Amino acid sequence: MVKSPRSRGALFVWTICVVLLWSVQMVDSKRKENKCMRHYFVHTIEHPKKNCEKKHVLLVRCKGFCNKSKTEPRVTFSPVLYRPFNYHCKCCRDSLSIMKAIRLNCEGGQSVFATYRYIIRCKCRNCNFSRW
C-alpha cells in the first residue's frame, strides 16, 4: 500500500501556513489603504462678524498611517527625571503646501480676504509635540 504524501499533520501545517500568509497580506493591504496621503474635503468659508457672502472651497488634509514610532526610557544621573522618556514617532503631515487666498464680497461694496494653506504633498515626518 502506498502512503499519501499529505498526511493529516502535513495538511494541517499547510493549512496554517496558508491562513498566516493570507492574514499577513490582509494587514499589508490595510496599511496600503491607510498610507499617508492627501484627502480632499469641502469647507465653507464665512466671516465670523461681517455680513459677507459664503464660499465653498476644496481643501486638503493629510491622513494616514505611519508605522515608525517608539518610546525609549531616558537614563540620567540626576535625582529628578523631568522627561523620563525619549519619544520617536512619525506623523502623517504636510511636506509641501502653498498659501492661498479667497475674496469674500461683503455689504456696502467691501471685501475681505481669507487665507489658508493648501497641501500639495503629504509625508510621514517627525512629530513635533512642542508645536501642538
Side-chain angles (χ1 to χ4, degrees):
M1 178 184 260
V2 178
K3 288 187 177 183
S4 170
R6 292 187 177 163
S7 65
R8 286 186 192 185
L11 183 61
F12 176 75
V13 169
W14 185 81
T15 304
I16 294 296
C17 288
V18 168
V19 169
L20 284 173
L21 285 173
W22 179 78
S23 63
V24 166
Q25 285 178 338
M26 290 300 291
V27 167
D28 192 45
S29 69
K30 287 288 184 192
R31 282 189 184 142
K32 287 178 184 172
E33 285 176 17
N34 295 328
K35 71 179 184 175
C36 180
M37 58 191 298
R38 298 183 329 153
H39 292 266
Y40 298 93
F41 66 101
V42 175
H43 181 73
T44 303
I45 296 178
E46 60 182 309
H47 196 279
K49 295 180 182 175
K50 294 185 177 183
N51 188 16
C52 303
E53 66 179 324
K54 297 177 186 179
K55 286 195 177 174
H56 302 289
V57 293
L58 184 67
L59 295 180
V60 181
R61 68 172 58 109
C62 293
K63 188 175 176 184
F65 180 76
C66 298
N67 188 21
K68 300 221 182 206
S69 64
K70 65 182 175 180
T71 301
E72 296 175 335
R74 186 182 300 239
V75 177
T76 181
F77 294 97
S78 170
V80 178
L81 198 56
Y82 293 107
R83 292 180 51 210
F85 299 103
N86 287 323
Y87 299 103
H88 307 279
C89 67
K90 299 282 184 181
C91 299
C92 183
R93 296 177 45 180
D94 60 293
S95 62
L96 180 63
S97 66
I98 59 173
M99 181 72 83
K100 284 194 169 191
I102 189 166
R103 181 183 10 204
L104 303 177
N105 296 318
C106 305
E107 279 184 348
Q110 293 180 329
S111 61
V112 293
F113 286 91
T115 58
Y116 59 94
R117 299 295 299 189
Y118 185 82
I119 298 170
I120 305 295
R121 187 179 309 133
C122 297
K123 188 176 181 180
C124 290
R125 300 176 69 189
N126 287 332
C127 299
N128 187 353
F129 295 111
S130 63
R131 288 177 43 191
W132 291 355

